[in-house]
Amino acid sequence: TVRIPQTLTGNTDHQEILNPPIITAENSFPISQQPSIVIISDDEENTTLICELLTSANYKVIWLMDGSTILDSITLLEPSVIIIDESITDFHDLAFDLKYIKSNQKYHFILIAIANSILTKKALAQYPFNQFFSKPISPTEFIEKIRILIPNST
């Protein structure tokens, strides 16, 4: 059983955990059937927390930071979900390339960004994102949305 904090902010020093949801064996995947999720981000604090959250929900998480290998890695890994942090270097070039990948594959794309920024609105209008999460992320809502994109097959 794993307890999940209510908000992921990247700064856990002063973070309170109030009535966190619980992940149990009944609502998680067997290790042999773990769906994979690729996270593309260079925001170490938030991405570490997101990786821990997804891992605790029994998802296989691959974190990519090197822009020169991202497209090849995605093609090789064939993840179910691709999570992109808008703050990554060369975001728009990467998002444009992923738009091409999406037209050939059935990936789900999630954007993590600062709400109501001009760049975020432009990215949502221009690129093929299925979901959007604003920082800080609500762990409960985040896991619920991931489970919708990757239903539990057990």
Side-chain angles (χ1 to χ4, degrees):
T1 302
V2 178
R3 294 200 176 272
I4 303 172
Q6 290 298 318
T7 304
L8 298 179
T9 62
N11 181 358
T12 57
D13 295 338
H14 298 77
Q15 195 171 25
E16 281 189 40
I17 300 175
L18 304 172
N19 301 320
I22 297 173
I23 296 173
T24 63
E26 292 81 34
N27 63 5
S28 64
F29 291 92
I31 291 177
S32 63
Q33 296 178 357
Q34 286 180 325
S36 65
I37 298 172
V38 166
I39 299 177
I40 304 169
S41 176
D42 51 15
D43 178 349
E44 211 168 311
E45 286 184 83
N46 275 321
T47 306
T48 299
L49 293 171
I50 291 169
C51 287
E52 289 174 0
L53 175 67
L54 291 169
T55 301
S56 72
N58 214 16
Y59 292 100
K60 181 171 61 176
V61 182
I62 300 101
W63 180 1
L64 303 175
M65 290 189 272
D66 181 8
S68 65
T69 63
I70 287 174
L71 295 177
D72 290 336
S73 298
I74 288 171
T75 303
L76 178 67
L77 297 167
E78 297 182 348
S80 301
V81 174
I82 300 169
I83 301 171
I84 305 167
D85 189 321
E86 186 184 43
S87 65
I88 193 163
T89 307
D90 298 326
F91 167 78
H92 290 284
D93 292 337
L94 175 63
F96 180 80
D97 291 340
L98 292 174
K99 188 176 185 179
Y100 170 75
I101 287 177
K102 175 139 181 150
S103 68
N104 293 321
Q105 301 292 328
K106 295 189 178 192
Y107 299 120
H108 296 286
F109 289 95
I110 297 174
L111 175 65
I112 297 175
I114 299 170
N116 299 322
S117 78
I118 294 171
L119 291 175
T120 300
K121 290 177 183 177
K122 185 177 179 181
L124 288 171
Q126 202 170 10
Y127 303 116
F129 294 103
N130 303 89
Q131 296 285 330
F132 166 72
F133 287 95
S134 62
K135 294 178 183 178
I137 294 170
S138 162
T140 304
E141 180 185 354
F142 184 73
I143 288 295
E144 287 173 4
K145 297 287 184 175
I146 293 293
R147 287 210 168 116
I148 289 169
L149 293 175
I150 309 173
N152 191 331
S153 60
T154 58

